Amino acid sequence: MKQTRKLAFIAIFTAIMMVLGYLESLLPVSPVPGIKLGLANSVLILSLYWLGVPISFQIMIVKNVLLGLFLGNPMLIPYSLAGGTLSLTLMSILYRRRGISPVGVGIAGGVAHNIGQVALAMIILQTPSLVFYLGLLMPAGAVMGFITGTVAKILSRHFPLQKAFPIRITTQTEEHKP
Amino acid sequence: MKRRDLIILAVVLVASLALYLLRPQAVTDQDATVYLRITVDGQTQELVALTEEREIRIEQENGDYNIVQIFPGGFRMAESNCTNQDCIHQGDVTVDNIGSRALANEIICLPHKLVLSLVTQEEAQQELAP
């Protein structure tokens, strides 16, 4: 039963993230490429707290690859994966630390996403001067991360799944195996 | 917001400010000829003096193409068959607006691995030297 519920949650989280990513792609093009809300990150932050680090990485990778194919931008998938990996790595390090709320996790994640993408662009295009672009992207990433983190915080308060679903699902189900 | 959230925010803002202050500035010598450098996949393809009005077509083996409009002192991306059209939306690059553009002296077409940069005469000469 628990395994089934976990699987259902993984599927729902992935689906919600893909829908949010798709909806954002419909917004008017920003004059500054690279700046976006990244609302799907709210769901990923929740997934960190509820489903743990390894599952969150799986969700992030599946979401980015599928959405890249879905939106017809397969050339850009490596960029979203670079941003997503750096972002989720940093968020995984921070999310259980004392004195850090989902808001701080969101800010760090948003900024790390920008850094990951720009770093890959610097390598692929061999254009080191792109680093200065981060001077503009990082404050934007912090604002967007503040919003996504706050959304994650509000969601976790209104859907206190932790009660039904104590944090480490993987270890729990393993203990209950006959 | 907890205490360490604020520390994260402060670190980000300080780093951003430092990068912002260090960013490339507008070309100072307004009279000297400036050049357009076309880079594909990290390799410089062409250096074009920005002295006249004309269009340059950049075609790659896989069918990717971009059309750049150049004019005295600047250039813009006029057309591209890339998926996201971000390069078109990046607007004009001119000697005067480098300091105020998000991407400073560059227009980038990420899907085509294409970078257009406005470079000064000295930079262009350095690159032409063997």
Side-chain angles (χ1 to χ4, degrees):
Chain A
M1 180 57 193
K2 282 238 159 127
Q3 281 291 346
T4 320
R5 285 182 69 177
K6 189 173 83 178
L7 197 62
F9 266 100
I10 296 171
I12 292 169
F13 273 47
T14 313
I16 295 175
M17 283 177 66
M18 283 191 64
V19 169
L20 290 174
Y22 172 68
L23 289 178
E24 274 188 29
S25 77
L26 298 178
L27 295 175
V29 186
S30 101
V32 186
I35 294 184
K36 56 170 188 172
L37 182 50
L39 208 52
N41 202 39
S42 304
V43 182
L44 196 59
I45 294 170
L46 275 191
S47 151
L48 262 185
Y49 286 97
W50 291 350
L51 302 172
V53 174
I55 289 177
S56 299
F57 265 93
Q58 291 168 23
I59 292 177
M60 183 274 293
I61 292 168
V62 170
K63 177 253 178 184
N64 280 331
V65 171
L66 287 183
L67 197 64
L69 295 172
F70 187 55
L71 295 177
N73 283 334
M75 293 293 290
L76 301 181
I77 292 176
Y79 292 95
S80 42
L81 283 179
T85 306
L86 190 65
S87 167
L88 192 50
T89 305
L90 190 62
M91 295 199 299
S92 305
I93 294 169
L94 295 177
Y95 82 111
R96 299 188 107 188
R97 307 235 163 195
R98 242 182 248 159
I100 293 182
S101 74
V103 180
V105 174
I107 295 173
V111 172
H113 194 96
N114 290 140
I115 296 175
Q117 285 193 314
V118 171
L120 187 65
M122 283 167 65
I123 295 167
I124 290 186
L125 303 172
Q126 297 176 34
T127 310
S129 62
L130 273 181
V131 73
F132 299 109
Y133 192 29
L134 281 174
L136 213 106
L137 284 188
M138 289 198 304
V143 172
M144 302 310 182
F146 177 85
I147 297 171
T148 57
T150 307
V151 170
K153 201 172 155 186
I154 294 169
L155 283 177
S156 68
R157 204 178 289 150
H158 290 275
F159 301 95
L161 265 201
Q162 296 98 314
K163 282 180 194 161
F165 236 170
I167 306 162
R168 291 271 161 195
I169 300 168
T170 344
T171 46
Q172 265 219 339
T173 41
E174 274 158 14
E175 280 165 16
H176 288 289
K177 268 180 192 163
Chain B
M1 292 275 271
K2 292 189 186 168
R3 191 172 54 87
R4 287 192 178 166
D5 292 349
L6 293 171
I7 296 175
I8 294 172
L9 189 61
V11 170
V12 170
L13 293 181
V14 168
S16 307
L17 187 67
L19 285 173
Y20 181 77
L21 293 175
L22 293 169
R23 78 195 189 286
Q25 298 295 320
V27 179
T28 41
D29 187 356
Q30 297 277 345
D31 299 323
T33 313
V34 286
Y35 289 78
L36 160 65
R37 182 177 58 209
I38 301 170
T39 313
V40 178
D41 215 351
Q43 303 294 316
T44 302
Q45 303 287 318
E46 227 182 316
L47 274 165
V48 188
L50 295 169
T51 48
E52 46 165 5
E53 222 165 291
R54 69 177 166 105
E55 286 190 344
I56 300 169
R57 190 184 168 93
I58 305 155
E59 190 124 23
Q60 297 183 42
E61 280 169 16
N62 55 10
D64 293 349
Y65 73 87
N66 295 71
I67 297 174
V68 188
Q69 274 174 5
I70 67 166
F71 48 88
F75 56 87
R76 69 177 70 94
M77 189 73 84
E79 204 184 316
S80 167
N81 64 343
C82 63
T83 47
N84 60 10
Q85 301 287 305
D86 270 356
C87 49
I88 314 276
H89 293 114
Q90 287 166 28
D92 294 8
V93 179
T94 67
V95 279
D96 304 314
N97 75 1
I98 288 177
S100 59
R101 282 183 83 251
L103 276 164
N105 62 331
E106 280 156 359
I107 289 179
I108 294 177
C109 183
L110 218 46
H112 292 177
K113 298 180 183 172
L114 173 75
V115 184
L116 308 176
S117 333
L118 190 141
V119 295
T120 60
Q121 201 157 26
E122 300 93 76
E123 288 170 305
Q125 274 163 357
Q126 270 176 15
E127 229 163 295
L128 287 171

